[in-house]
Amino acid sequence: MGTITTSDGTEIFFKDWGEGQPIVFSHGWPLSADDWDNQLLFFLSKGYRVVAHDRRGHGRSTQTGDGHDMDHYADDLKAVVDHLDLHDCIHVGHSTGGGEVTHYLARHGEDRAAKAALLCAVPPLMVKTDANPEGLPKEVFDDLQNQLAANRSQFYRALPEGPFYGYNRPGAEPSEAVIANWWRQGMMGGAKAHYDGIVAFSQTDFTTDLQQITIPVLVVHSEDDQIVPYADAGPKSAALLKNGVLKTYKDLPHGLPTTHADVVNADLLEFFQS
């Protein structure tokens, strides 16, 4: 574990364990590198070097007041990769982290990258526009910002208790430990970073980024994702990628790396080794 300082003075916290081909994990909003605990331990045991960082304003990284946009997210990821001198990387991004990975590969190139995986990721574009009529209305994201500003702690209980992990579905068995861990990670970060991050993950158009990527990319998404709707995300991203493969689950939640780690890890490993 360690930190690096970016060109604008932001400290980025990261974990770096093991040896072998590096897998670099980019977490979802508003969480931290801790959200990858299961994947880090699993792939470490399979002989990979695993790296995960806390996005600026999240977790243990600096709670800076600005720079909460995909350009800065991608540049911070590059700073971690360059600092550790990583090559032949596999990049894995969940939700907002999938946008970060996509923008990083398009913005900074693929010289150090071998493959990527986007899990329930926000690309190509979440918000509804004239060019993206299937997207979610901007008011949905405005409401998220309003809830965060009004009572962030309560908001960060409601999301994991409900749609994030599918605990609002009939027959679901909520895990208090999982809910509390989501809340813990969220509250570690800064309210300003999380507030601005909602705009970053919802209004960034990754269409051109996806079209520029040539390395093999596994796109993983569930039809029952209540956070990033399936039809306007996974299939569209896979179609835009030059070398994309779509893996669809039927009834898993948005937070599937946690709730169904055994399934997801096995599918990722198969793709990484192919």
Side-chain angles (χ1 to χ4, degrees):
M1 295 186 290
T3 61
I4 62 165
T5 301
T6 66
S7 58
D8 67 353
T10 300
E11 277 199 353
I12 302 295
F13 170 91
F14 65 88
K15 306 177 187 184
D16 176 18
W17 303 338
E19 299 178 354
Q21 185 178 17
I23 307 176
V24 183
F25 294 87
S26 294
H27 64 78
W29 174 98
L31 304 172
S32 72
D34 293 352
D35 201 46
W36 292 112
D37 281 353
N38 190 290
Q39 284 71 39
L40 296 179
L41 293 174
F42 176 82
F43 287 103
L44 183 65
S45 74
K46 299 298 181 182
Y48 290 92
R49 178 180 181 180
V50 293
V51 176
H53 67 290
D54 291 353
R55 187 170 299 118
R56 63 170 55 213
H58 296 62
R60 290 139 294 204
S61 292
T62 302
Q63 291 193 16
T64 179
D66 54 16
H68 308 297
D69 55 72
M70 284 294 163
D71 283 352
H72 281 86
Y73 295 169
D75 292 351
D76 292 347
L77 176 55
K78 181 179 187 297
V80 173
V81 171
D82 289 354
H83 173 76
L84 297 175
D85 194 25
L86 303 178
H87 296 272
D88 198 31
C89 296
I90 300 170
H91 285 275
V92 181
H94 175 239
S95 196
T96 298
E100 176 179 291
V101 167
T102 298
H103 197 53
Y104 161 79
L105 291 171
R107 182 174 171 87
H108 295 294
E110 303 170 341
D111 290 349
R112 293 175 177 260
K115 291 183 177 181
L118 308 178
L119 313 182
C120 298
V122 297
L125 174 63
M126 285 198 72
V127 73
K128 181 178 181 178
T129 65
D130 290 342
N132 186 44
E134 299 87 4
L136 295 171
K138 182 176 179 294
E139 291 75 19
V140 170
F141 305 106
D142 293 342
D143 181 58
L144 295 181
Q145 288 185 308
N146 290 337
Q147 291 185 67
L148 186 154
N151 191 331
R152 188 164 65 118
S153 180
Q154 179 177 316
F155 181 41
Y156 286 4
R157 285 287 304 191
L159 271 177
E161 285 177 350
F164 197 93
Y165 292 117
Y167 290 153
N168 56 344
R169 293 305 196 206
E173 297 181 4
S175 165
E176 171 58 27
V178 167
I179 294 166
N181 192 42
W182 200 101
W183 179 90
R184 175 191 68 84
Q185 292 179 74
M187 294 304 293
M188 285 172 65
K192 180 63 162 57
H194 296 170
Y195 188 91
D196 292 353
I198 293 171
V199 174
F201 75 65
S202 66
Q203 296 186 30
T204 302
D205 189 340
F206 299 95
T207 300
T208 301
D209 289 343
L210 291 163
Q211 292 171 331
Q212 292 180 41
I213 297 171
T214 63
I215 60 173
V217 180
L218 178 66
V219 180
V220 173
H221 221 110
S222 173
E223 293 177 357
D224 197 39
D225 190 326
Q226 299 177 69
I227 304 297
V228 181
Y230 173 83
D232 199 41
K236 287 188 176 181
S237 288
L240 287 165
L241 289 159
K242 290 182 172 63
N243 199 0
V245 177
L246 178 64
K247 174 67 179 182
T248 298
Y249 301 120
K250 183 171 179 58
D251 54 5
L252 302 191
H254 181 71
L256 51 80
T258 295
T259 59
H260 295 78
D262 55 341
V263 174
V264 174
N265 291 350
D267 287 339
L268 289 175
L269 182 63
E270 180 181 2
F271 176 71
F272 297 163
Q273 295 181 339
S274 63

